[in-house]
Amino acid sequence: MTGCSIEEATCGGGEYPVLSVGGTGSACVSNDEEPPKGYTRYPEGKVPKHVGDEWDTYWQTHTVDEDGKIVEVPQGG
């Protein structure tokens, strides 16, 4: 045993996850960079840490609109 968690981290060390504005896409950005155009930081307290965790699952059906408001993603969107 190595002592490592079996959970897959959302991003690697030195990175943080960002959410696609108006969509369910995500990416990882270096800690010393701002999100690229079309992406935003997850709202505080609602950041996914591991693949399949509570917030990772939540953001599969929700997104942030251009005003920063959390909205549900339309079916098939």
Side-chain angles (χ1 to χ4, degrees):
M1 271 187 131
T2 62
C4 294
S5 172
I6 60 169
E7 294 178 311
E8 184 179 346
T10 302
C11 291
E15 297 180 319
Y16 67 93
V18 292
L19 175 66
S20 172
V21 175
T24 58
S26 64
C28 293
V29 177
S30 177
N31 285 340
D32 59 352
E33 294 180 15
E34 289 299 314
K37 185 177 174 99
Y39 287 83
T40 189
R41 293 176 187 265
Y42 284 91
E44 189 173 339
K46 298 181 179 184
V47 181
K49 303 287 187 203
H50 300 280
V51 174
D53 73 11
E54 173 188 7
W55 293 116
D56 182 56
T57 302
Y58 177 84
W59 292 113
Q60 292 175 22
T61 58
H62 293 78
T63 192
V64 176
D65 68 15
E66 292 165 358
D67 297 320
K69 181 179 170 190
I70 296 173
V71 295
E72 284 194 52
V73 176
Q75 283 289 76

